Protein backbone atom coordinates (compact mmCIF):
# COMPACT_ATOMS: atom_id res chain seq x y z
CA UNK A 1 0.00 0.00 0.00
CA UNK A 2 1.36 3.40 -0.96
CA UNK A 3 2.22 5.56 2.03
CA UNK A 4 1.52 8.98 0.53
CA UNK A 5 -2.27 8.99 0.41
CA UNK A 6 -2.37 8.79 -3.42
CA UNK A 7 -4.51 5.69 -3.68
CA UNK A 8 -3.97 3.44 -6.70
CA UNK A 9 -7.00 2.71 -8.86
CA UNK A 10 -6.21 -0.99 -8.56
CA UNK A 11 -3.94 -3.17 -6.44
CA UNK A 12 -3.08 -6.83 -6.56
CA UNK A 13 -0.52 -9.30 -5.28
CA UNK A 14 1.20 -11.69 -7.69
CA UNK A 15 3.10 -14.29 -5.67
CA UNK A 16 5.15 -11.91 -3.45
CA UNK A 17 5.00 -8.90 -5.79
CA UNK A 18 2.79 -5.92 -4.89
CA UNK A 19 1.23 -4.23 -7.92
CA UNK A 20 -0.10 -0.65 -7.76
CA UNK A 21 -2.02 0.59 -10.80
CA UNK A 22 -2.39 4.35 -11.23
CA UNK A 23 -4.60 6.36 -13.54
CA UNK A 24 -1.76 7.86 -15.59
CA UNK A 25 2.02 7.96 -15.63
CA UNK A 26 2.37 11.23 -13.71
CA UNK A 27 0.31 9.87 -10.81
CA UNK A 28 2.32 6.64 -10.99
CA UNK A 29 5.64 8.49 -10.89
CA UNK A 30 4.58 10.68 -7.97
CA UNK A 31 3.30 7.68 -6.03
CA UNK A 32 6.52 5.74 -6.57
CA UNK A 33 8.65 8.76 -5.61
CA UNK A 34 6.62 9.29 -2.43
CA UNK A 35 7.15 5.67 -1.41
CA UNK A 36 10.87 5.87 -2.23
CA UNK A 37 11.11 9.08 -0.18
CA UNK A 38 9.39 7.42 2.78
CA UNK A 39 11.69 4.40 2.59
CA UNK A 40 14.79 6.59 2.39
CA UNK A 41 13.60 8.68 5.35
CA UNK A 42 13.08 5.54 7.44
CA UNK A 43 16.46 4.06 6.48
CA UNK A 44 18.34 7.30 7.12
CA UNK A 45 16.84 7.35 10.62
CA UNK A 46 18.25 3.86 11.20
CA UNK A 47 21.60 3.94 9.39
CA UNK A 48 24.48 6.35 8.87
CA UNK A 49 24.57 5.73 5.11
CA UNK A 50 22.29 4.06 2.58
CA UNK A 51 23.07 2.58 -0.83
CA UNK A 52 20.66 2.89 -3.78
CA UNK A 53 20.82 1.64 -7.38
CA UNK A 54 18.90 3.68 -9.98
CA UNK A 55 17.68 2.84 -13.48
CA UNK A 56 18.20 5.32 -16.30
CA UNK A 57 15.39 5.46 -18.88
CA UNK A 58 12.61 7.78 -20.04
CA UNK A 59 10.19 5.51 -18.14
CA UNK A 60 11.71 6.86 -14.93
CA UNK A 61 11.26 10.56 -15.76
CA UNK A 62 8.15 11.26 -13.68
CA UNK A 63 9.43 9.34 -10.67
CA UNK A 64 12.86 11.00 -10.72
CA UNK A 65 11.36 14.47 -11.21
CA UNK A 66 9.10 13.97 -8.20
CA UNK A 67 11.96 12.58 -6.13
CA UNK A 68 14.07 15.66 -6.90
CA UNK A 69 11.24 17.81 -5.51
CA UNK A 70 11.05 15.78 -2.28
CA UNK A 71 12.00 17.69 0.84
CA UNK A 72 13.81 16.62 3.98
CA UNK A 73 16.21 13.97 2.68
CA UNK A 74 19.90 14.09 3.58
CA UNK A 75 21.30 13.03 0.21
CA UNK A 76 24.85 13.55 1.53
CA UNK A 77 24.43 10.20 3.30
CA UNK A 78 23.38 8.38 0.12
CA UNK A 79 25.74 6.30 -2.01
CA UNK A 80 24.26 6.04 -5.50
CA UNK A 81 24.86 3.50 -8.28
CA UNK A 82 23.29 2.82 -11.63
CA UNK A 83 22.59 -0.50 -13.26
CA UNK A 84 23.86 -0.49 -16.83
CA UNK A 85 25.91 1.37 -19.41
CA UNK A 86 26.73 1.09 -23.10
CA UNK A 87 30.19 -0.09 -24.09
CA UNK A 88 32.15 2.24 -26.33
CA UNK A 89 29.83 5.23 -26.25
CA UNK A 90 31.98 8.37 -25.84
CA UNK A 91 31.92 9.99 -22.41
CA UNK A 92 30.40 13.12 -24.00
CA UNK A 93 27.43 11.20 -25.48
CA UNK A 94 24.12 12.33 -23.96
CA UNK A 95 22.71 8.80 -24.33
CA UNK A 96 25.06 7.41 -21.69
CA UNK A 97 22.99 6.24 -18.75
CA UNK A 98 25.37 7.82 -16.26
CA UNK A 99 24.86 11.15 -18.03
CA UNK A 100 21.08 10.69 -17.99
CA UNK A 101 21.03 10.09 -14.23
CA UNK A 102 23.44 12.92 -13.58
CA UNK A 103 21.15 15.33 -15.44
CA UNK A 104 17.90 13.95 -14.03
CA UNK A 105 18.90 13.29 -10.43
CA UNK A 106 22.49 13.27 -9.19
CA UNK A 107 23.45 16.82 -10.20
CA UNK A 108 20.23 18.10 -8.64
CA UNK A 109 20.28 16.34 -5.25
CA UNK A 110 24.06 15.83 -4.77
CA UNK A 111 24.39 12.36 -3.23
CA UNK A 112 27.41 11.96 -0.97
CA UNK A 113 28.90 9.38 -3.34
CA UNK A 114 28.03 8.55 -6.95
CA UNK A 115 29.59 5.52 -8.62
CA UNK A 116 29.12 5.42 -12.40
CA UNK A 117 29.86 2.58 -14.77
CA UNK A 118 32.33 3.62 -17.47
CA UNK A 119 31.74 1.95 -20.80
CA UNK A 120 34.98 3.36 -22.19
CA UNK A 121 37.11 1.34 -19.78
CA UNK A 122 38.24 -2.21 -20.50
CA UNK A 123 34.97 -4.16 -20.03
CA UNK A 124 36.41 -6.99 -17.98
CA UNK A 125 38.30 -4.64 -15.67
CA UNK A 126 35.25 -2.36 -15.35
CA UNK A 127 32.99 -5.28 -14.40
CA UNK A 128 35.48 -6.28 -11.72
CA UNK A 129 35.84 -2.70 -10.42
CA UNK A 130 32.11 -2.01 -10.25
CA UNK A 131 31.29 -5.44 -8.88
CA UNK A 132 33.65 -4.78 -5.97
CA UNK A 133 31.91 -1.48 -5.23
CA UNK A 134 28.46 -3.07 -5.35
CA UNK A 135 29.49 -5.93 -3.06
CA UNK A 136 31.23 -3.72 -0.48
CA UNK A 137 28.04 -3.47 1.56
CA UNK A 138 24.40 -4.51 1.11
CA UNK A 139 22.22 -2.57 -1.31
CA UNK A 140 19.30 -0.98 0.53
CA UNK A 141 17.12 -0.02 -2.42
CA UNK A 142 16.86 -0.56 -6.18
CA UNK A 143 14.73 1.72 -8.39
CA UNK A 144 14.25 -0.09 -11.69
CA UNK A 145 12.05 -0.51 -14.75
CA UNK A 146 11.09 -3.28 -17.16
CA UNK A 147 12.05 -3.27 -20.83
CA UNK A 148 9.76 -4.01 -23.76
CA UNK A 149 11.38 -7.46 -24.00
CA UNK A 150 10.92 -8.09 -20.27
CA UNK A 151 14.51 -7.27 -19.33
CA UNK A 152 15.60 -5.75 -16.04
CA UNK A 153 18.74 -3.67 -16.42
CA UNK A 154 20.33 -5.09 -19.59
CA UNK A 155 19.56 -8.70 -18.70
CA UNK A 156 17.78 -9.46 -21.97
CA UNK A 157 16.17 -12.91 -22.33
CA UNK A 158 19.13 -14.44 -24.23
CA UNK A 159 21.66 -13.49 -21.52
CA UNK A 160 19.52 -13.37 -18.35
CA UNK A 161 20.56 -15.82 -15.63
CA UNK A 162 18.66 -16.02 -12.36
CA UNK A 163 21.67 -17.81 -10.82
CA UNK A 164 24.37 -15.68 -12.45
CA UNK A 165 27.70 -16.10 -10.61
CA UNK A 166 28.70 -12.55 -11.60
CA UNK A 167 27.38 -9.28 -10.22
CA UNK A 168 28.38 -7.14 -13.21
CA UNK A 169 28.93 -8.52 -16.70
CA UNK A 170 29.34 -7.62 -20.35
CA UNK A 171 26.34 -8.50 -22.53
CA UNK A 172 25.27 -8.38 -26.16
CA UNK A 173 22.01 -6.47 -26.49
CA UNK A 174 19.21 -8.24 -28.34
CA UNK A 175 17.42 -6.60 -31.26
CA UNK A 176 14.23 -5.80 -29.31
CA UNK A 177 16.26 -4.08 -26.62
CA UNK A 178 18.17 -1.97 -29.15
CA UNK A 179 14.96 -1.09 -31.00
CA UNK A 180 13.44 0.14 -27.74
CA UNK A 181 16.22 2.72 -27.48
CA UNK A 182 15.07 4.08 -30.85
CA UNK A 183 11.40 3.88 -29.81
CA UNK A 184 12.24 5.88 -26.68
CA UNK A 185 13.83 8.60 -28.79
CA UNK A 186 17.32 8.06 -27.40
CA UNK A 187 18.82 7.26 -30.82
CA UNK A 188 17.77 8.28 -34.32
CA UNK A 189 18.03 4.77 -35.78
CA UNK A 190 19.02 1.21 -34.92
CA UNK A 191 22.51 1.53 -36.41
CA UNK A 192 23.40 4.18 -33.82
CA UNK A 193 22.52 1.98 -30.85
CA UNK A 194 25.55 0.20 -29.37
CA UNK A 195 25.47 -3.59 -29.54
CA UNK A 196 27.21 -4.28 -26.22
CA UNK A 197 26.76 -3.04 -22.69
CA UNK A 198 27.72 -3.55 -19.06
CA UNK A 199 24.97 -4.54 -16.66
CA UNK A 200 24.32 -5.47 -13.08
CA UNK A 201 23.14 -9.07 -13.14
CA UNK A 202 19.84 -10.34 -11.83
CA UNK A 203 21.32 -11.63 -8.54
CA UNK A 204 22.88 -8.19 -7.99
CA UNK A 205 19.54 -6.46 -8.52
CA UNK A 206 17.64 -9.00 -6.45
CA UNK A 207 20.10 -8.50 -3.57
CA UNK A 208 18.54 -5.10 -2.89
CA UNK A 209 16.54 -5.14 0.33
CA UNK A 210 13.67 -3.17 -1.21
CA UNK A 211 12.81 -2.81 -4.90
CA UNK A 212 10.66 -0.14 -6.55
CA UNK A 213 9.82 -1.01 -10.17
CA UNK A 214 8.33 1.83 -12.25
CA UNK A 215 6.81 0.85 -15.61
CA UNK A 216 4.50 3.23 -17.53
CA UNK A 217 3.27 3.20 -21.10
CA UNK A 218 1.42 1.02 -23.59
CA UNK A 219 4.69 -0.19 -25.15
CA UNK A 220 5.40 -2.07 -21.90
CA UNK A 221 2.00 -3.76 -21.64
CA UNK A 222 3.02 -7.12 -23.13
CA UNK A 223 6.11 -7.29 -20.92
CA UNK A 224 4.10 -6.41 -17.80
CA UNK A 225 1.53 -9.09 -18.63
CA UNK A 226 4.24 -11.72 -19.10
CA UNK A 227 6.02 -10.64 -15.92
CA UNK A 228 2.82 -10.86 -13.86
CA UNK A 229 0.97 -13.80 -15.36
CA UNK A 230 3.51 -15.86 -17.30
CA UNK A 231 5.94 -18.49 -16.12
CA UNK A 232 8.78 -17.29 -13.89
CA UNK A 233 11.66 -17.84 -16.27
CA UNK A 234 14.54 -16.11 -18.03
CA UNK A 235 12.32 -15.85 -21.12
CA UNK A 236 10.82 -12.87 -19.26
CA UNK A 237 13.55 -11.79 -16.83
CA UNK A 238 11.23 -9.41 -14.96
CA UNK A 239 9.10 -12.36 -13.86
CA UNK A 240 11.70 -13.03 -11.13
CA UNK A 241 10.45 -9.91 -9.33
CA UNK A 242 7.48 -12.03 -8.17
CA UNK A 243 9.91 -13.88 -5.91
CA UNK A 244 11.50 -10.85 -4.24
CA UNK A 245 10.45 -10.43 -0.59
CA UNK A 246 9.86 -6.66 -0.86
CA UNK A 247 9.16 -5.39 -4.37
CA UNK A 248 6.42 -3.03 -5.52
CA UNK A 249 5.52 -2.64 -9.20
CA UNK A 250 4.08 0.76 -10.16
CA UNK A 251 2.16 0.81 -13.45
CA UNK A 252 -0.33 3.08 -15.18
CA UNK A 253 -3.47 2.02 -17.04
CA UNK A 254 -1.54 1.93 -20.31
CA UNK A 255 1.10 -0.53 -19.14
CA UNK A 256 -1.26 -2.63 -17.01
CA UNK A 257 -3.99 -3.08 -19.60
CA UNK A 258 -7.57 -3.88 -18.64
CA UNK A 259 -8.26 -3.13 -14.97
CA UNK A 260 -8.95 -6.44 -13.32
CA UNK A 261 -11.66 -7.13 -10.80
CA UNK A 262 -12.74 -3.47 -10.97
Amino acid sequence: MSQHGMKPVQEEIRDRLRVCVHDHREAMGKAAAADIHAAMKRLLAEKERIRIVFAAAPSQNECLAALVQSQGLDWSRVTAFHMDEYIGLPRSAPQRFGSFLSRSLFDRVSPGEVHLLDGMNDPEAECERYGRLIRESPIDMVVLGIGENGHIAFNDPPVADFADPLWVKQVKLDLDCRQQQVNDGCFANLEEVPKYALTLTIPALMSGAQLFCVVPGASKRAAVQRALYGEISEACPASILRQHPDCTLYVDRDSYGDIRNG
Side-chain angles (χ1 to χ4, degrees), residues 110-232:
S110 301
E113 292 182 59
V114 175
H115 296 295
L116 299 180
L117 279 159
D118 191 342
M120 293 299 287
N121 286 347
D122 173 76
E124 187 173 337
E126 184 65 4
C127 288
E128 174 62 28
R129 180 190 75 85
Y130 211 72
R132 276 199 312 272
L133 290 169
I134 290 285
R135 291 192 306 269
E136 268 181 5
S137 188
I139 297 297
D140 295 295
M141 298 165 57
V142 179
V143 181
L144 71 159
I146 296 174
E148 292 177 13
N149 64 358
H151 74 205
I152 50 178
F154 269 146
N155 296 282
D156 293 336
V159 299
D161 183 353
F162 291 166
D164 207 311
L166 302 172
W167 277 52
V168 186
K169 69 180 180 180
Q170 177 179 346
V171 293
K172 183 176 183 179
L173 303 178
D174 78 5
L175 187 59
D176 289 342
C177 173
R178 295 176 63 229
Q179 183 61 48
Q180 180 185 325
Q181 311 308 315
V182 180
N183 299 345
D184 284 348
C186 300
F187 293 89
N189 54 63
L190 191 63
E191 289 67 36
E192 290 184 7
V193 184
K195 295 181 179 179
Y196 295 90
L198 306 171
T199 186
L200 269 62
T201 63
I202 290 172
L205 297 172
M206 292 289 284
S207 78
Q210 192 170 7
L211 273 54
F212 302 83
C213 188
V214 183
V215 189
S219 67
K220 303 293 182 70
R221 184 178 298 180
V224 167
Q225 293 293 312
R226 289 197 307 274
L228 291 179
Y229 306 109
E231 179 186 3
I232 296 178

